[in-house]
Amino acid sequence: MNEKRIGKIVRKVHRIANENCVSDAKSALATYVEEEIFKNHKKSISYRTIERTFDKYIDGKEIGSPIAENVDLLCKFLGCKDYTDYVRRQKRRRLIITVGIAFGVMLATTIIFKNQIFNPDRDSSSNSTTIENPVNPNTDSRCMTWADSLYISVPCDEGPYSKYGTQVKPLDRMELKNMKKVEVRAGYPFFTEEGKPRIWYYRNKNNEFEYFTAPGFHPVNEETLRKITEGVIDKYVPTHLDNKDSFLE
């Protein structure tokens, strides 16, 4: 595995964890990543192992590199199948961007050339054609897709990241920032000081509850989410989350 590429993977994992975790303590970020991987993929990686990857690639400590299996799990956290899938996606994205730039340059050159042919008497200094963005707009990260527990920004022609096969859709910055699927327990701060809900829920056909941090529609089946109530909390919210200490080193 390429050490430089692993560093990029770890930094992406650290950034996402930092955006979604209440605390910015290294142990809290590592625990968040561990729980998300277990919740979404039923695979275990110790938070201590994740901390060591942060030590190496974020803090620059001279320690050993992570094993291939753990790198695969970090790639799963980013919405990929494994390290190989991550590399494939990155190469495909670079190819799309390169082709888009080449297309934009060719288009700009063609327009200028046509103007020179059909307007030969015009002063060349006033005959320039402004191309605001020669890059194919579909290669920009102006879209997003649901990646199991949150939205991530992706190129508009990228395939689905989620195991559910959710499709890419136009980027909504508020939804991208605020909509996340979370695990809750009785002590969770479900309401603001003014009594407004912080959690919305969906109850599936198996009577299982899913909890989200913003109102709107379920990211997978697009059904309307309902705001949390005291009655739902008292009846359905567990008093504590499952204990996964057995998966720690």
Side-chain angles (χ1 to χ4, degrees):
M1 292 183 174
N2 183 285
E3 193 72 12
K4 184 177 180 180
R5 186 175 287 128
I6 294 175
K8 289 183 178 180
I9 292 170
V10 173
R11 286 189 288 274
K12 286 183 180 180
V13 169
H14 185 272
R15 175 176 55 79
I16 293 174
N18 205 27
E19 290 174 351
N20 292 279
C21 193
V22 176
S23 171
D24 59 359
K26 188 188 302 179
S27 60
L29 299 180
T31 300
Y32 171 82
V33 175
E34 177 207 12
E35 291 179 347
E36 287 295 305
I37 291 174
F38 182 82
K39 178 180 68 176
N40 295 315
H41 306 287
K42 299 301 181 285
K43 301 286 186 180
S44 62
I45 176 174
S46 168
Y47 77 94
R48 294 190 182 96
T49 298
I50 299 170
E51 278 187 328
R52 285 196 292 272
T53 64
F54 291 165
D55 286 339
K56 179 176 178 63
Y57 298 103
I58 304 298
D59 298 336
K61 293 185 179 180
E62 293 293 331
I63 56 178
S65 301
I67 62 175
E69 180 181 357
N70 289 335
V71 176
D72 284 340
L73 291 177
L74 295 179
C75 290
K76 285 181 180 294
F77 177 83
L78 296 177
C80 302
K81 295 178 181 179
D82 50 27
Y83 176 80
T84 301
D85 184 46
Y86 173 86
V87 174
R88 178 186 61 81
R89 289 172 185 267
Q90 293 300 307
K91 288 182 177 179
R92 182 170 180 264
R93 182 171 182 175
R94 285 196 295 269
L95 177 61
I96 291 172
I97 293 174
T98 301
V99 171
I101 292 174
F103 175 79
V105 172
M106 181 180 69
L107 178 62
T109 302
T110 301
I111 293 174
I112 294 173
F113 180 70
K114 286 184 176 180
N115 284 341
Q116 292 285 356
I117 293 177
F118 293 106
N119 300 280
D121 296 330
R122 291 180 60 183
D123 184 357
S124 59
S125 63
S126 62
N127 193 34
S128 61
T129 302
T130 301
I131 306 297
E132 294 184 358
N133 183 12
V135 180
N136 186 336
N138 284 338
T139 63
D140 295 337
S141 294
R142 295 177 182 173
C143 289
M144 64 184 188
T145 190
W146 184 250
D148 300 330
S149 61
L150 75 168
Y151 280 110
I152 58 176
S153 59
V154 295
C156 294
D157 57 355
E158 184 63 84
Y161 276 63
S162 172
K163 65 183 179 182
Y164 302 106
T166 50
Q167 297 301 309
V168 170
K169 67 178 187 178
L171 189 144
D172 182 326
R173 296 195 179 279
M174 291 297 294
E175 194 171 22
L176 177 71
K177 178 180 178 181
N178 297 321
M179 176 63 78
K180 298 175 181 64
K181 183 179 178 182
V182 295
E183 297 284 348
V184 300
R185 55 183 175 181
Y188 193 96
F190 290 97
F191 304 95
T192 66
E193 293 182 358
E194 294 77 23
K196 296 181 180 180
R198 295 178 183 223
I199 292 293
W200 287 257
Y201 72 94
Y202 171 75
R203 187 176 186 177
N204 63 28
K205 291 183 288 188
N206 297 322
N207 287 326
E208 298 171 335
F209 282 73
E210 298 175 42
Y211 301 93
F212 299 85
T213 56
F217 301 97
H218 192 285
V220 178
N221 57 37
E222 298 184 346
E223 294 191 24
T224 302
L225 301 177
R226 300 188 178 189
K227 63 182 179 181
I228 199 74
T229 64
E230 292 288 356
V232 170
I233 297 170
D234 292 340
K235 190 172 182 179
Y236 298 108
V237 174
T239 56
H240 59 83
L241 299 179
D242 293 338
N243 187 351
K244 300 195 287 294
D245 289 345
S246 59
F247 294 99
L248 303 182
E249 290 183 342

